[in-house]
Amino acid sequence: MTRSGQRDADPEAFLSGFRDDAIWTTAHGKRLTGLPEIGAFTRKALPPRAGSPVVATYTVDLILFIRPDAAAVKIRQRPATRDGGECLDMVFRGQENPSELVAAHPWSVPGAPTYVLAKDDGVWRVAAAQNTLVTDPETLAAG
């Protein structure tokens, strides 16, 4: 999976980082099992995002090596403007009740994915992934 694959709405680049038997749950709770199902969803959902003014940035927060060929990776996913990279979730920072702003700024809500990676034949690929929209008021306000 390449960051540019998602940013550039290139399904094949995005899918290259998944194992054939991967499982993935989207931020909205849709469970996808196996590369054919993940691929069908991605090929339908990703291309319409090509012209979107909003992209996501991904920062690794934590890596837990379960064993030398398996790792759990916690990601900080932040929506940003495509043209200047301005992080849109800053609208929530410091707000007393940021949850009230979520409905007015749905594209500004950050994500908190966790990926389980497996190293097969020297290549790290996603074996399982769970994305979660951040709705906890304290986390939103902290930025």
Short mmCIF file of all heavy atoms in Angstrom, two decimals, residues 68-136:
data_model
loop_
_atom_site.label_atom_id
_atom_site.label_comp_id
_atom_site.label_asym_id
_atom_site.label_seq_id
_atom_site.Cartn_x
_atom_site.Cartn_y
_atom_site.Cartn_z
N PRO A 68 9.26 -11.17 14.74
CA PRO A 68 10.05 -10.51 13.67
C PRO A 68 9.31 -10.33 12.34
O PRO A 68 9.66 -9.45 11.57
CB PRO A 68 11.25 -11.44 13.50
CG PRO A 68 11.39 -12.14 14.81
CD PRO A 68 9.99 -12.30 15.34
N ASP A 69 8.29 -11.15 12.09
CA ASP A 69 7.58 -11.05 10.81
C ASP A 69 6.13 -10.59 10.97
O ASP A 69 5.32 -10.74 10.05
CB ASP A 69 7.64 -12.38 10.08
CG ASP A 69 6.95 -13.51 10.86
OD1 ASP A 69 6.66 -13.33 12.06
OD2 ASP A 69 6.71 -14.58 10.25
N ALA A 70 5.78 -10.01 12.13
CA ALA A 70 4.42 -9.52 12.34
C ALA A 70 4.48 -8.29 13.24
O ALA A 70 5.18 -8.27 14.25
CB ALA A 70 3.55 -10.60 12.99
N ALA A 71 3.72 -7.26 12.86
CA ALA A 71 3.72 -6.02 13.64
C ALA A 71 2.33 -5.40 13.63
O ALA A 71 1.61 -5.46 12.63
CB ALA A 71 4.72 -5.03 13.04
N ALA A 72 1.98 -4.79 14.74
CA ALA A 72 0.77 -3.98 14.84
C ALA A 72 1.22 -2.53 14.76
O ALA A 72 2.13 -2.11 15.47
CB ALA A 72 0.04 -4.26 16.15
N VAL A 73 0.59 -1.76 13.89
CA VAL A 73 1.00 -0.38 13.65
C VAL A 73 -0.19 0.54 13.89
O VAL A 73 -1.25 0.38 13.28
CB VAL A 73 1.52 -0.20 12.21
CG1 VAL A 73 2.00 1.23 11.99
CG2 VAL A 73 2.63 -1.19 11.92
N LYS A 74 -0.01 1.48 14.81
CA LYS A 74 -1.04 2.47 15.12
C LYS A 74 -0.74 3.73 14.33
O LYS A 74 0.38 4.25 14.36
CB LYS A 74 -1.04 2.77 16.63
CG LYS A 74 -2.20 3.58 17.07
CD LYS A 74 -3.48 2.77 16.94
CE LYS A 74 -4.69 3.65 17.07
NZ LYS A 74 -5.76 3.22 16.21
N ILE A 75 -1.72 4.22 13.60
CA ILE A 75 -1.56 5.34 12.68
C ILE A 75 -2.38 6.53 13.15
O ILE A 75 -3.48 6.38 13.67
CB ILE A 75 -2.04 4.93 11.26
CG1 ILE A 75 -1.30 3.70 10.75
CG2 ILE A 75 -1.96 6.09 10.28
CD1 ILE A 75 0.16 3.92 10.45
N ARG A 76 -1.86 7.71 12.92
CA ARG A 76 -2.63 8.93 13.08
C ARG A 76 -2.98 9.42 11.67
O ARG A 76 -2.10 9.76 10.89
CB ARG A 76 -1.82 9.99 13.82
CG ARG A 76 -2.63 11.25 14.06
CD ARG A 76 -1.89 12.23 14.93
NE ARG A 76 -2.77 13.36 15.23
CZ ARG A 76 -2.35 14.52 15.60
NH1 ARG A 76 -1.07 14.74 15.78
NH2 ARG A 76 -3.21 15.50 15.83
N GLN A 77 -4.25 9.41 11.36
CA GLN A 77 -4.74 9.79 10.03
C GLN A 77 -5.43 11.15 10.17
O GLN A 77 -6.38 11.30 10.94
CB GLN A 77 -5.72 8.74 9.53
CG GLN A 77 -6.34 9.01 8.20
CD GLN A 77 -7.40 7.97 7.87
OE1 GLN A 77 -7.93 7.29 8.75
NE2 GLN A 77 -7.71 7.85 6.60
N ARG A 78 -4.93 12.13 9.41
CA ARG A 78 -5.49 13.48 9.50
C ARG A 78 -5.92 13.96 8.12
O ARG A 78 -5.15 13.89 7.17
CB ARG A 78 -4.45 14.44 10.07
CG ARG A 78 -4.00 14.06 11.47
CD ARG A 78 -2.96 15.00 12.00
NE ARG A 78 -3.60 16.28 12.33
CZ ARG A 78 -2.91 17.37 12.61
NH1 ARG A 78 -1.60 17.37 12.57
NH2 ARG A 78 -3.55 18.48 12.91
N PRO A 79 -7.14 14.47 8.01
CA PRO A 79 -7.56 15.05 6.74
C PRO A 79 -6.83 16.37 6.51
O PRO A 79 -6.60 17.14 7.46
CB PRO A 79 -9.06 15.27 6.93
CG PRO A 79 -9.28 15.29 8.40
CD PRO A 79 -8.17 14.51 9.03
N ALA A 80 -6.46 16.60 5.27
CA ALA A 80 -5.71 17.81 4.93
C ALA A 80 -6.13 18.30 3.55
O ALA A 80 -6.67 17.54 2.75
CB ALA A 80 -4.21 17.52 4.94
N THR A 81 -5.87 19.57 3.29
CA THR A 81 -6.18 20.12 1.97
C THR A 81 -5.18 19.57 0.97
O THR A 81 -4.00 19.40 1.27
CB THR A 81 -6.12 21.66 1.97
OG1 THR A 81 -4.82 22.08 2.35
CG2 THR A 81 -7.16 22.25 2.90
N ARG A 82 -5.68 19.24 -0.22
CA ARG A 82 -4.80 18.70 -1.26
C ARG A 82 -3.78 19.74 -1.73
O ARG A 82 -2.63 19.43 -1.96
CB ARG A 82 -5.63 18.23 -2.46
CG ARG A 82 -4.79 17.62 -3.58
CD ARG A 82 -5.65 17.17 -4.75
NE ARG A 82 -6.55 16.09 -4.42
CZ ARG A 82 -6.22 14.80 -4.43
NH1 ARG A 82 -5.01 14.44 -4.74
NH2 ARG A 82 -7.12 13.89 -4.13
N ASP A 83 -4.21 21.00 -1.81
CA ASP A 83 -3.34 22.03 -2.38
C ASP A 83 -2.24 22.50 -1.42
O ASP A 83 -1.14 22.77 -1.85
CB ASP A 83 -4.15 23.21 -2.89
CG ASP A 83 -5.03 23.84 -1.82
OD1 ASP A 83 -5.05 23.36 -0.67
OD2 ASP A 83 -5.72 24.82 -2.14
N GLY A 84 -2.51 22.58 -0.14
CA GLY A 84 -1.50 23.12 0.76
C GLY A 84 -1.16 22.26 1.95
O GLY A 84 -0.28 22.58 2.74
N GLY A 85 -1.87 21.15 2.10
CA GLY A 85 -1.59 20.26 3.20
C GLY A 85 -2.03 20.76 4.57
O GLY A 85 -1.58 20.26 5.59
N GLU A 86 -2.92 21.75 4.60
CA GLU A 86 -3.41 22.27 5.87
C GLU A 86 -4.29 21.21 6.54
O GLU A 86 -5.23 20.69 5.94
CB GLU A 86 -4.24 23.54 5.63
CG GLU A 86 -4.89 24.09 6.87
CD GLU A 86 -5.84 25.24 6.54
OE1 GLU A 86 -5.80 25.77 5.43
OE2 GLU A 86 -6.63 25.57 7.43
N CYS A 87 -3.97 20.86 7.77
CA CYS A 87 -4.73 19.83 8.50
C CYS A 87 -6.09 20.39 8.91
O CYS A 87 -6.18 21.37 9.64
CB CYS A 87 -3.94 19.33 9.69
SG CYS A 87 -2.53 18.33 9.18
N LEU A 88 -7.14 19.74 8.43
CA LEU A 88 -8.50 20.21 8.64
C LEU A 88 -9.03 19.91 10.03
O LEU A 88 -9.98 20.55 10.48
CB LEU A 88 -9.42 19.61 7.58
CG LEU A 88 -9.05 19.95 6.14
CD1 LEU A 88 -9.93 19.18 5.17
CD2 LEU A 88 -9.15 21.44 5.90
N ASP A 89 -8.43 18.96 10.73
CA ASP A 89 -8.92 18.62 12.06
C ASP A 89 -8.58 19.68 13.11
O ASP A 89 -9.06 19.63 14.25
CB ASP A 89 -8.44 17.25 12.52
CG ASP A 89 -6.93 17.12 12.60
OD1 ASP A 89 -6.22 17.97 12.04
OD2 ASP A 89 -6.47 16.15 13.23
N MET A 90 -7.83 20.68 12.73
CA MET A 90 -7.51 21.77 13.66
C MET A 90 -8.75 22.55 14.07
O MET A 90 -8.75 23.22 15.09
CB MET A 90 -6.46 22.72 13.05
CG MET A 90 -5.11 22.05 12.82
SD MET A 90 -4.38 21.39 14.32
CE MET A 90 -3.93 22.89 15.14
N VAL A 91 -9.85 22.42 13.31
CA VAL A 91 -11.09 23.10 13.66
C VAL A 91 -11.61 22.64 15.03
O VAL A 91 -12.32 23.37 15.71
CB VAL A 91 -12.16 22.89 12.55
CG1 VAL A 91 -12.63 21.45 12.50
CG2 VAL A 91 -13.33 23.82 12.74
N PHE A 92 -11.23 21.43 15.44
CA PHE A 92 -11.68 20.87 16.71
C PHE A 92 -10.77 21.23 17.88
O PHE A 92 -11.19 21.16 19.03
CB PHE A 92 -11.76 19.34 16.62
CG PHE A 92 -12.61 18.85 15.49
CD1 PHE A 92 -12.07 18.12 14.45
CD2 PHE A 92 -13.98 19.11 15.46
CE1 PHE A 92 -12.85 17.66 13.41
CE2 PHE A 92 -14.77 18.65 14.42
CZ PHE A 92 -14.21 17.92 13.40
N ARG A 93 -9.54 21.61 17.58
CA ARG A 93 -8.54 21.82 18.63
C ARG A 93 -8.97 22.92 19.60
O ARG A 93 -9.37 24.00 19.21
CB ARG A 93 -7.19 22.18 18.03
CG ARG A 93 -6.13 22.43 19.12
CD ARG A 93 -4.78 22.56 18.58
NE ARG A 93 -4.13 21.28 18.85
CZ ARG A 93 -2.98 20.93 18.37
NH1 ARG A 93 -2.33 21.73 17.57
NH2 ARG A 93 -2.46 19.77 18.67
N GLY A 94 -8.87 22.59 20.89
CA GLY A 94 -9.13 23.56 21.93
C GLY A 94 -10.60 23.88 22.17
O GLY A 94 -10.92 24.70 23.03
N GLN A 95 -11.49 23.24 21.43
CA GLN A 95 -12.93 23.50 21.59
C GLN A 95 -13.45 22.83 22.86
O GLN A 95 -13.08 21.69 23.16
CB GLN A 95 -13.71 23.01 20.39
CG GLN A 95 -13.35 23.69 19.09
CD GLN A 95 -13.74 25.15 19.11
OE1 GLN A 95 -14.80 25.53 19.58
NE2 GLN A 95 -12.86 26.00 18.60
N GLU A 96 -14.32 23.51 23.57
CA GLU A 96 -14.89 22.94 24.79
C GLU A 96 -15.75 21.71 24.49
O GLU A 96 -15.72 20.73 25.20
CB GLU A 96 -15.73 23.99 25.52
CG GLU A 96 -16.20 23.53 26.88
CD GLU A 96 -16.87 24.65 27.65
OE1 GLU A 96 -16.31 25.76 27.70
OE2 GLU A 96 -17.95 24.39 28.20
N ASN A 97 -16.52 21.76 23.39
CA ASN A 97 -17.34 20.63 22.99
C ASN A 97 -17.17 20.42 21.48
O ASN A 97 -18.05 20.76 20.70
CB ASN A 97 -18.81 20.84 23.35
CG ASN A 97 -19.62 19.57 23.18
OD1 ASN A 97 -19.11 18.56 22.69
ND2 ASN A 97 -20.86 19.60 23.59
N PRO A 98 -16.04 19.83 21.08
CA PRO A 98 -15.77 19.67 19.64
C PRO A 98 -16.75 18.75 18.93
O PRO A 98 -16.93 18.86 17.73
CB PRO A 98 -14.35 19.09 19.61
CG PRO A 98 -14.19 18.44 20.94
CD PRO A 98 -14.99 19.26 21.90
N SER A 99 -17.41 17.86 19.67
CA SER A 99 -18.37 16.95 19.04
C SER A 99 -19.50 17.70 18.34
O SER A 99 -20.05 17.21 17.37
CB SER A 99 -18.96 16.01 20.09
OG SER A 99 -17.93 15.26 20.68
N GLU A 100 -19.83 18.88 18.82
CA GLU A 100 -20.87 19.68 18.19
C GLU A 100 -20.47 20.15 16.79
O GLU A 100 -21.33 20.49 15.99
CB GLU A 100 -21.21 20.89 19.06
CG GLU A 100 -21.88 20.52 20.37
CD GLU A 100 -22.15 21.73 21.26
OE1 GLU A 100 -21.67 22.84 20.93
OE2 GLU A 100 -22.83 21.55 22.27
N LEU A 101 -19.17 20.18 16.51
CA LEU A 101 -18.69 20.65 15.21
C LEU A 101 -18.61 19.54 14.16
O LEU A 101 -18.45 19.82 12.97
CB LEU A 101 -17.30 21.27 15.36
CG LEU A 101 -17.20 22.51 16.24
CD1 LEU A 101 -15.74 22.89 16.46
CD2 LEU A 101 -17.96 23.65 15.62
N VAL A 102 -18.69 18.29 14.58
CA VAL A 102 -18.50 17.16 13.66
C VAL A 102 -19.49 17.19 12.51
O VAL A 102 -19.11 17.01 11.35
CB VAL A 102 -18.53 15.82 14.42
CG1 VAL A 102 -18.58 14.64 13.45
CG2 VAL A 102 -17.32 15.70 15.34
N ALA A 103 -20.76 17.42 12.77
CA ALA A 103 -21.77 17.43 11.70
C ALA A 103 -21.50 18.53 10.68
O ALA A 103 -21.74 18.35 9.49
CB ALA A 103 -23.17 17.60 12.30
N ALA A 104 -20.97 19.66 11.13
CA ALA A 104 -20.70 20.78 10.23
C ALA A 104 -19.38 20.61 9.47
O ALA A 104 -19.17 21.26 8.45
CB ALA A 104 -20.67 22.09 11.02
N HIS A 105 -18.50 19.74 9.97
CA HIS A 105 -17.18 19.54 9.36
C HIS A 105 -16.87 18.04 9.20
O HIS A 105 -15.84 17.56 9.69
CB HIS A 105 -16.10 20.19 10.22
CG HIS A 105 -16.28 21.65 10.43
ND1 HIS A 105 -15.85 22.58 9.53
CD2 HIS A 105 -16.87 22.34 11.45
CE1 HIS A 105 -16.15 23.79 9.97
NE2 HIS A 105 -16.78 23.67 11.14
N PRO A 106 -17.71 17.28 8.49
CA PRO A 106 -17.49 15.83 8.42
C PRO A 106 -16.17 15.44 7.76
O PRO A 106 -15.60 14.40 8.10
CB PRO A 106 -18.70 15.32 7.63
CG PRO A 106 -19.16 16.51 6.85
CD PRO A 106 -18.87 17.71 7.71
N TRP A 107 -15.67 16.24 6.84
CA TRP A 107 -14.41 15.90 6.16
C TRP A 107 -13.20 16.27 7.01
O TRP A 107 -12.07 16.02 6.61
CB TRP A 107 -14.32 16.59 4.80
CG TRP A 107 -15.35 16.06 3.86
CD1 TRP A 107 -16.49 16.70 3.44
CD2 TRP A 107 -15.39 14.77 3.27
NE1 TRP A 107 -17.22 15.88 2.61
CE2 TRP A 107 -16.56 14.68 2.49
CE3 TRP A 107 -14.54 13.67 3.31
CZ2 TRP A 107 -16.91 13.54 1.77
CZ3 TRP A 107 -14.89 12.53 2.59
CH2 TRP A 107 -16.05 12.48 1.84
N SER A 108 -13.44 16.86 8.18
CA SER A 108 -12.34 17.25 9.06
C SER A 108 -12.08 16.24 10.16
O SER A 108 -11.11 16.38 10.91
CB SER A 108 -12.65 18.61 9.70
OG SER A 108 -12.78 19.60 8.70
N VAL A 109 -12.91 15.23 10.28
CA VAL A 109 -12.78 14.24 11.35
C VAL A 109 -11.58 13.33 11.06
O VAL A 109 -11.50 12.71 10.00
CB VAL A 109 -14.07 13.42 11.50
CG1 VAL A 109 -13.92 12.34 12.57
CG2 VAL A 109 -15.25 14.33 11.81
N PRO A 110 -10.64 13.23 12.01
CA PRO A 110 -9.47 12.38 11.81
C PRO A 110 -9.81 10.90 11.99
O PRO A 110 -10.89 10.55 12.48
CB PRO A 110 -8.50 12.86 12.89
CG PRO A 110 -9.37 13.42 13.96
CD PRO A 110 -10.58 13.97 13.27
N GLY A 111 -8.88 10.05 11.61
CA GLY A 111 -9.03 8.61 11.77
C GLY A 111 -7.94 8.06 12.67
O GLY A 111 -6.91 8.71 12.88
N ALA A 112 -8.19 6.86 13.18
CA ALA A 112 -7.22 6.20 14.05
C ALA A 112 -7.08 4.74 13.62
O ALA A 112 -7.51 3.83 14.32
CB ALA A 112 -7.67 6.30 15.51
N PRO A 113 -6.47 4.49 12.44
CA PRO A 113 -6.34 3.12 11.97
C PRO A 113 -5.30 2.32 12.76
O PRO A 113 -4.35 2.88 13.30
CB PRO A 113 -5.85 3.28 10.53
CG PRO A 113 -5.92 4.72 10.20
CD PRO A 113 -6.00 5.47 11.47
N THR A 114 -5.54 1.03 12.78
CA THR A 114 -4.54 0.07 13.25
C THR A 114 -4.35 -0.95 12.14
O THR A 114 -5.33 -1.48 11.62
CB THR A 114 -5.01 -0.65 14.54
OG1 THR A 114 -5.19 0.33 15.56
CG2 THR A 114 -3.97 -1.67 15.00
N TYR A 115 -3.10 -1.18 11.77
CA TYR A 115 -2.78 -2.18 10.75
C TYR A 115 -1.98 -3.30 11.40
O TYR A 115 -1.09 -3.04 12.21
CB TYR A 115 -1.91 -1.58 9.64
CG TYR A 115 -2.49 -0.40 8.90
CD1 TYR A 115 -1.68 0.64 8.50
CD2 TYR A 115 -3.84 -0.33 8.60
CE1 TYR A 115 -2.20 1.73 7.81
CE2 TYR A 115 -4.36 0.76 7.91
CZ TYR A 115 -3.53 1.78 7.51
OH TYR A 115 -4.04 2.85 6.84
N VAL A 116 -2.30 -4.52 11.05
CA VAL A 116 -1.47 -5.66 11.41
C VAL A 116 -0.73 -6.05 10.14
O VAL A 116 -1.36 -6.38 9.13
CB VAL A 116 -2.30 -6.83 11.96
CG1 VAL A 116 -1.39 -8.03 12.26
CG2 VAL A 116 -3.05 -6.40 13.21
N LEU A 117 0.58 -5.94 10.18
CA LEU A 117 1.40 -6.23 9.01
C LEU A 117 2.10 -7.58 9.18
O LEU A 117 2.50 -7.94 10.30
CB LEU A 117 2.47 -5.15 8.82
CG LEU A 117 1.95 -3.71 8.69
CD1 LEU A 117 3.13 -2.75 8.58
CD2 LEU A 117 1.04 -3.58 7.50
N ALA A 118 2.24 -8.29 8.09
CA ALA A 118 2.96 -9.55 8.07
C ALA A 118 4.04 -9.46 7.01
O ALA A 118 3.82 -8.90 5.93
CB ALA A 118 2.03 -10.71 7.77
N LYS A 119 5.20 -9.98 7.33
CA LYS A 119 6.31 -9.97 6.38
C LYS A 119 6.39 -11.34 5.72
O LYS A 119 6.69 -12.35 6.36
CB LYS A 119 7.62 -9.66 7.12
CG LYS A 119 8.78 -9.39 6.21
CD LYS A 119 9.98 -8.95 7.04
CE LYS A 119 11.13 -8.52 6.18
NZ LYS A 119 12.27 -8.12 7.02
N ASP A 120 6.07 -11.38 4.44
CA ASP A 120 6.10 -12.60 3.65
C ASP A 120 7.12 -12.45 2.53
O ASP A 120 7.04 -11.49 1.76
CB ASP A 120 4.73 -12.90 3.03
CG ASP A 120 3.65 -13.13 4.09
OD1 ASP A 120 3.91 -13.86 5.05
OD2 ASP A 120 2.55 -12.56 3.93
N ASP A 121 8.08 -13.36 2.47
CA ASP A 121 9.13 -13.31 1.45
C ASP A 121 9.81 -11.95 1.41
O ASP A 121 10.10 -11.40 0.34
CB ASP A 121 8.56 -13.66 0.07
CG ASP A 121 7.98 -15.07 0.02
OD1 ASP A 121 8.57 -15.98 0.65
OD2 ASP A 121 6.93 -15.26 -0.63
N GLY A 122 10.03 -11.37 2.59
CA GLY A 122 10.76 -10.11 2.71
C GLY A 122 9.94 -8.86 2.46
O GLY A 122 10.47 -7.76 2.48
N VAL A 123 8.63 -9.00 2.22
CA VAL A 123 7.78 -7.85 1.92
C VAL A 123 6.71 -7.73 3.00
O VAL A 123 5.99 -8.69 3.30
CB VAL A 123 7.11 -8.01 0.53
CG1 VAL A 123 6.19 -6.83 0.24
CG2 VAL A 123 8.15 -8.15 -0.56
N TRP A 124 6.61 -6.52 3.58
CA TRP A 124 5.57 -6.23 4.56
C TRP A 124 4.27 -5.89 3.84
O TRP A 124 4.25 -5.05 2.94
CB TRP A 124 5.98 -5.05 5.44
CG TRP A 124 7.07 -5.36 6.40
CD1 TRP A 124 8.40 -5.13 6.24
CD2 TRP A 124 6.93 -5.98 7.68
NE1 TRP A 124 9.10 -5.55 7.34
CE2 TRP A 124 8.22 -6.07 8.25
CE3 TRP A 124 5.84 -6.44 8.42
CZ2 TRP A 124 8.44 -6.62 9.51
CZ3 TRP A 124 6.06 -6.98 9.66
CH2 TRP A 124 7.35 -7.07 10.20
N ARG A 125 3.18 -6.56 4.26
CA ARG A 125 1.86 -6.29 3.69
C ARG A 125 0.82 -6.28 4.81
O ARG A 125 1.00 -6.92 5.84
CB ARG A 125 1.48 -7.34 2.66
CG ARG A 125 2.28 -7.21 1.36
CD ARG A 125 1.58 -7.95 0.22
NE ARG A 125 2.22 -7.63 -1.03
CZ ARG A 125 3.33 -8.21 -1.47
NH1 ARG A 125 3.93 -9.13 -0.76
NH2 ARG A 125 3.84 -7.85 -2.64
N VAL A 126 -0.28 -5.60 4.54
CA VAL A 126 -1.38 -5.55 5.50
C VAL A 126 -2.09 -6.90 5.54
O VAL A 126 -2.57 -7.38 4.50
CB VAL A 126 -2.39 -4.43 5.14
CG1 VAL A 126 -3.59 -4.47 6.07
CG2 VAL A 126 -1.71 -3.07 5.16
N ALA A 127 -2.15 -7.48 6.73
CA ALA A 127 -2.90 -8.71 6.94
C ALA A 127 -4.29 -8.38 7.49
O ALA A 127 -5.27 -9.06 7.17
CB ALA A 127 -2.16 -9.63 7.91
N ALA A 128 -4.36 -7.36 8.31
CA ALA A 128 -5.64 -6.93 8.87
C ALA A 128 -5.56 -5.43 9.15
O ALA A 128 -4.50 -4.92 9.51
CB ALA A 128 -5.95 -7.69 10.16
N ALA A 129 -6.68 -4.76 8.98
CA ALA A 129 -6.72 -3.32 9.24
C ALA A 129 -8.09 -2.95 9.79
O ALA A 129 -9.10 -3.50 9.37
CB ALA A 129 -6.43 -2.53 7.97
N GLN A 130 -8.08 -2.04 10.72
CA GLN A 130 -9.31 -1.50 11.30
C GLN A 130 -9.15 0.01 11.33
O GLN A 130 -8.21 0.52 11.93
CB GLN A 130 -9.50 -2.01 12.73
CG GLN A 130 -10.57 -1.29 13.53
CD GLN A 130 -11.97 -1.66 13.11
OE1 GLN A 130 -12.29 -2.83 12.98
NE2 GLN A 130 -12.82 -0.67 12.90
N ASN A 131 -10.03 0.72 10.66
CA ASN A 131 -10.00 2.17 10.72
C ASN A 131 -11.15 2.62 11.61
O ASN A 131 -12.21 2.01 11.61
CB ASN A 131 -10.11 2.81 9.34
CG ASN A 131 -9.66 4.24 9.33
OD1 ASN A 131 -9.34 4.82 10.37
ND2 ASN A 131 -9.63 4.85 8.17
N THR A 132 -10.94 3.67 12.34
CA THR A 132 -11.95 4.20 13.26
C THR A 132 -11.96 5.71 13.15
O THR A 132 -10.89 6.33 13.21
CB THR A 132 -11.61 3.79 14.72
OG1 THR A 132 -11.51 2.37 14.79
CG2 THR A 132 -12.66 4.29 15.69
N LEU A 133 -13.13 6.30 12.97
CA LEU A 133 -13.24 7.75 13.01
C LEU A 133 -13.10 8.20 14.46
O LEU A 133 -13.66 7.58 15.37
CB LEU A 133 -14.58 8.22 12.45
CG LEU A 133 -14.77 8.05 10.95
CD1 LEU A 133 -16.18 8.46 10.55
CD2 LEU A 133 -13.75 8.86 10.19
N VAL A 134 -12.37 9.26 14.67
CA VAL A 134 -12.18 9.79 16.02
C VAL A 134 -13.37 10.66 16.37
O VAL A 134 -13.61 11.69 15.73
CB VAL A 134 -10.87 10.62 16.12
CG1 VAL A 134 -10.74 11.25 17.49
CG2 VAL A 134 -9.67 9.73 15.80
N THR A 135 -14.12 10.24 17.37
CA THR A 135 -15.26 11.02 17.82
C THR A 135 -15.18 11.35 19.31
O THR A 135 -16.02 12.07 19.83
CB THR A 135 -16.59 10.31 17.53
OG1 THR A 135 -16.59 9.03 18.16
CG2 THR A 135 -16.81 10.14 16.03
N ASP A 136 -14.16 10.84 19.98
CA ASP A 136 -13.98 11.13 21.39
C ASP A 136 -13.69 12.63 21.57
O ASP A 136 -12.72 13.15 20.99
CB ASP A 136 -12.81 10.31 21.94
CG ASP A 136 -12.47 10.67 23.36
OD1 ASP A 136 -13.31 10.47 24.25
OD2 ASP A 136 -11.35 11.21 23.57
#
